[in-house]
Amino acid sequence: MAGIDLSVNISGVEFKNPLIVASGPPTLSPQHVLKCIRAGAAGAVTKTITYDVTQQVQPKPRMLVVNPEDALRSRFYSFYSIDLMSEYKPELWLRQIREVKKEAKAYMGVIIASIAGRTFEEWEKLARLVEEAGADMVELNLSCPHLEKGGLMGRAVSSSPEKVSEVVKTVSRATSLPIIGKLTPHGANPVELARIMVSSGVSALVSTARFQGLIVDLETMQPTSWGGFGGYGGPWQTPISVGWTAHIAMERLGVPIIGSGGVSKWEDAVQLILVGASAVQMCTAIMINGLKTIPEMLGGIEKWMANKGFRSIADFSGISLGKIVPLERLERRKRFQIYIDAEKCVKCGVCIRVCPYGALGESPASIPEPDQEKCDNCGLCLSICPRRAIRFEKEFDRR
Ligand SMILES: Cc1cc2nc3c(=O)[nH]c(=O)nc-3n(C[C@H](O)[C@H](O)[C@H](O)COP(=O)(O)O)c2cc1C
Ligand code: SF4
Ligand code: SF4
């Protein structure tokens, strides 16, 4: 769109737009990385490269959509999986990153190598080798939800701030590439973890990854599908990721934040940028809706920017942070009269059922009669009414 510049600079690396494909099945091989870039993504993070052979053999089956009808209708869904790290050995990645690099560059695509070491030596070696192979940035997998205890990678290491710091320092010594630290939602205090990563040498942060979950089958009474814990994420996670991103941005740690976790629509990306992200990563939505998601999202972001009169991402990155009202300053005194539009109401009775204060009477067969004294203006009935028949009107003076 004329006059709109979607490019962002993250730690000295130019991205032609703020969309980065996160590490996962859409980037499972260098050829997949290239496909993401051809589809319009500014960058793509490789599936995590590791020397750990136990990570290189995937459980089968390992992925399921919890509510597939909703996923296919672009509604909220949950994605549950135990996809481990990359099946491909580091040597293959290194050789093929070299091969795809030229074409990626022709698209101005940034290749980010996700790495995970079992020892500090492996972290050091992988960081050095991916730089030699031509990766543009390194991302540290300190977030994989499946790795729970011990070890130096995935979320296991994130339970020890000292070890996280040592991993970051080791990688900083090994490479001159900008380092992205990927936060886990399982860290006891993600903001603190972000601070430690930055003071140890990362030059950008991914705000969050997936949670670990467990689904038990009631018939067999065993964990479903592959039989154990799995990563749990999906579009429902976005408000959590927006909150997380805002908290990290408010700390002003001095490094760009890549918002992530549940991004599936352009609106999610815009929200993350409004609370301080410079770019966004997405994985699950591309798996479910395909690579066409990338141009659709870019189109949506551009259109919104044009409507709002923004010409660059920097024009609106972080502008909502100053508008977040802290708990102690939330409005509590103002009261409104509640009004039900009889023309719109279909007497479904939902509002009567949900009202915690019993302010809408008891008979679902008639149009609810609001009791202005009982109504506490909680807002629940307004948001659930299927006909949008309820609204707050002028302020209500109780005296
Ligand atoms: C099936 C699957 C495999 C993934 N594999 C990796 C991986 O190898 N390394 C990694 O750092 N993150 C991995 N992730 C996490 C994603 O990169 C991303 O952080 C997470 O899914 C949240 O983003 P999303 O909601 O857009 O999917 C994987 C996610 C999924 C769903
Ligand atoms: S939820 Fe809406 S449509 Fe249903 S009874 Fe209440 S006002 Fe009427
Ligand atoms: S706003 Fe809350 S308290 Fe008032 S009628 Fe609706 S549900 Fe009840």
Side-chain angles (χ1 to χ4, degrees):
M1 210 170 273
I4 294 202
D5 176 11
L6 287 179
S7 69
V8 291
N9 185 296
I10 297 179
S11 319
V13 179
E14 243 349 274
F15 287 74
K16 66 180 175 184
N17 64 55
L19 280 198
I20 302 169
V21 180
S23 176
T27 61
L28 67 83
S29 74
Q31 287 307 322
H32 283 73
V33 167
L34 207 47
K35 273 191 193 163
C36 296
I37 287 172
R38 284 191 199 121
V45 189
T46 69
K47 183 100 179 114
T48 301
I49 307 170
T50 181
Y51 285 108
D52 184 351
V53 287
T54 62
Q55 289 285 322
Q56 291 168 355
V57 184
Q58 298 287 7
K60 296 161 185 73
R62 64 179 172 284
M63 299 184 203
L64 68 93
V65 177
V66 177
N67 30 2
E69 298 79 16
D70 290 335
L72 296 172
R73 287 197 198 117
S74 299
R75 297 196 186 137
F76 272 16
Y77 59 90
S78 300
F79 192 87
Y80 185 52
S81 65
I82 186 145
D83 205 48
L84 302 176
M85 295 180 185
S86 178
E87 295 102 303
Y88 299 120
K89 299 209 178 316
E91 293 68 30
L92 184 130
W93 273 104
L94 299 170
R95 198 173 60 244
Q96 294 201 1
I97 288 176
R98 276 193 194 95
E99 286 167 17
V100 298
K101 172 87 185 152
K102 204 167 154 206
E103 188 176 342
K105 216 169 165 188
Y107 283 90
M108 291 162 51
V110 176
I111 299 180
I112 303 167
S114 168
I115 59 170
R118 285 168 300 184
T119 59
F120 291 115
E121 290 70 30
E122 281 186 4
W123 278 108
E124 188 274 330
K125 189 172 172 189
L126 284 167
R128 189 165 41 77
L129 292 177
V130 294
E131 178 170 13
E132 282 170 23
D136 300 295
M137 299 177 98
V138 183
E139 183 175 283
L140 311 181
N141 184 334
L142 307 169
S143 58
C144 173
H146 317 309
L147 301 171
E148 293 174 60
K149 291 192 207 93
L152 280 183
M153 54 194 203
R155 78 156 155 125
V157 63
S158 285
S159 59
S160 162
E162 297 75 28
K163 284 187 189 161
V164 166
S165 170
E166 216 34 63
V167 166
V168 175
K169 285 180 183 161
T170 303
V171 172
S172 310
R173 284 192 294 269
T175 177
S176 61
L177 294 178
I179 304 164
I180 305 173
K182 188 169 180 180
L183 289 158
T184 164
H186 287 282
N189 181 344
V191 175
E192 208 36 53
L193 208 53
R195 190 191 299 283
I196 286 163
M197 286 188 193
V198 173
S199 66
S200 306
V202 305
S203 44
L205 293 161
V206 175
S207 62
T208 193
R210 298 195 306 157
F211 292 87
Q212 187 191 62
L214 185 67
I215 300 180
V216 179
D217 183 313
L218 296 193
E219 193 50 43
T220 61
M221 293 178 278
Q222 288 168 2
T224 195
S225 194
W226 52 90
F229 292 97
Y232 198 75
W236 57 269
Q237 202 188 335
T238 311
I240 300 171
S241 309
V242 173
W244 222 272
T245 304
H247 275 296
I248 297 168
M250 284 191 283
E251 292 298 304
R252 309 216 178 278
L253 298 175
V255 300
I257 303 166
I258 301 166
S260 179
V263 176
S264 61
K265 309 188 295 293
W266 66 264
E267 291 93 332
D268 303 333
V270 168
Q271 281 198 65
L272 284 162
I273 297 170
L274 282 169
V275 298
S278 302
V280 298
Q281 279 193 10
M282 56 191 301
C283 169
T284 305
I286 292 177
M287 294 179 68
I288 301 295
N289 299 315
L291 288 169
K292 69 175 174 39
T293 313
I294 296 168
E296 281 169 9
M297 293 213 18
L298 289 171
I301 297 170
E302 253 188 341
K303 215 164 155 191
W304 179 85
M305 285 173 67
N307 280 340
K308 292 284 179 191
F310 293 128
R311 301 170 75 86
S312 73
I313 300 291
D315 279 355
F316 66 100
S317 175
I319 64 170
S320 296
L321 286 175
K323 299 177 183 174
I324 298 173
V325 183
L327 177 64
E328 56 287 1
R329 293 219 324 267
L330 290 180
E331 176 58 57
R332 298 175 207 221
R333 297 198 178 278
K334 234 188 240 171
R335 292 188 56 99
F336 302 94
Q337 285 199 349
I338 184 164
Y339 172 80
I340 296 186
D341 187 336
E343 304 255 302
K344 290 187 181 167
C345 175
V346 289
K347 303 179 195 163
C348 68
V350 169
C351 57
I352 297 172
R353 186 174 75 221
V354 301
C355 176
Y357 293 87
L360 296 171
E362 282 172 7
S363 163
S366 53
I367 292 172
E369 281 274 346
D371 181 328
Q372 303 293 349
E373 288 293 334
K374 278 191 183 171
C375 171
D376 199 54
N377 289 180
C378 75
L380 180 55
C381 61
L382 277 71
S383 74
I384 205 169
C385 169
R387 303 306 297 252
R388 296 277 176 267
I390 314 178
R391 60 178 191 266
F392 285 156
E393 293 219 314
K394 61 185 183 336
E395 270 183 57
F396 173 53
D397 188 357
R398 289 192 115 186
R399 283 161 299 165

